[in-house]
Amino acid sequence: MSPNANSGTETDAAALLAAWPHVYREGAAERPVLLMLHGTGGTEHDLLGLADALDPAAAVIAPRGRVTENGMNRWFRRLAEGVFDLEDVEVRADELVGFVTAARAQYGLGHRPVVAVGFSNGANVALATALRHPSTVARVIAFSGMHPLPGRDATAVLSGTSVLLLNGESDPMAPLPSVDALAAELEQRGARVRQVRRSGGHGVTEADVYAAQGWLAS
Ligand code: MLT
């Protein structure tokens, strides 16, 4: 092997990223890395405007969900609306950690903190990843998310984790009892949780974005 040849790990990271469609923007070195996770039927381009609104100088990594449901991109399988295939949620969350780890190595992100920002199905995979892998994803902004892993045994300590949950009060796709159960579990496991409730249903409002900007800057 020549002294300049890539190590196996570098080659693996490059191969994983080449096979996984995503957008990467470098951002300023002292800013965090925003991991932007689209909703069902979205693509890696959907949340780039939201990333700009949250922090125009941040690095951005926006991958595409690898599951398809009737031609729509998603992050994990579901059995019905709001009924998740929990084993697949876990597998896909673990896969996303592999993606983030590869991106960190490939793009030279060093120790820059990652903030996972997701909408709907993207919020749910962000939350699942934080619940399972707090050392990789310790900060989450979840727009219209819910508990992604109800009733699953999880033991990871979340004392370094901060989560912002933004929800509509009448959202059939992210029911408040599920959001409340998630908040309680996060807190019980040591996470700092901030909840923002507004009237209305599923979506990202201007007020949500304003609240998320403030949380991110704090
Ligand atoms: C999910 O499947 O993650 C939620 O029900 C939201 C959605 O419809 O994508």
Side-chain angles (χ1 to χ4, degrees), residues 39-41 69 74 76-78 80-84 119-125 144 146 172-174 202:
T40 298
E69 180 189 274
R74 278 179 58 80
F76 52 79
R77 286 200 295 264
R78 61 181 164 180
E81 191 166 298
V83 184
F84 305 149
F119 166 60
S120 187
N121 184 238
N124 294 340
V125 81
S144 294
M146 60 190 274
M173 291 156 89
H202 216 63

Side-chain angles (χ1 to χ4, degrees), residues 86-167:
L86 299 182
E87 273 174 28
D88 197 53
V89 176
E90 291 176 344
V91 167
R92 301 297 176 171
D94 297 357
E95 234 176 52
L96 188 58
V97 164
F99 173 86
V100 172
T101 305
R104 192 181 273 293
Q106 183 75 2
Y107 297 126
L109 296 172
H111 295 292
R112 290 166 75 174
V114 169
V115 184
V117 181
F119 166 60
S120 187
N121 184 238
N124 294 340
V125 81
L127 292 162
T129 307
L131 284 165
R132 286 174 66 73
H133 299 284
S135 59
T136 302
V137 172
R139 293 185 84 190
V140 178
I141 300 176
F143 294 94
S144 294
M146 60 190 274
H147 201 319
L149 288 167
R152 286 308 249 208
D153 273 347
T155 51
V157 173
L158 303 180
S159 49
T161 297
S162 297
V163 176
L164 175 64
L165 300 171
L166 302 127
N167 290 92

Side-chain angles (χ1 to χ4, degrees), residues 6 9 38 54 60 66 73 76 115 132 143 146 164 192 195:
N6 286 339
T9 309
H38 63 76
L54 292 177
V60 175
R66 295 176 114 186
N73 298 318
F76 52 79
V115 184
R132 286 174 66 73
F143 294 94
M146 60 190 274
L164 175 64
R192 278 182 303 279
Q195 293 199 68

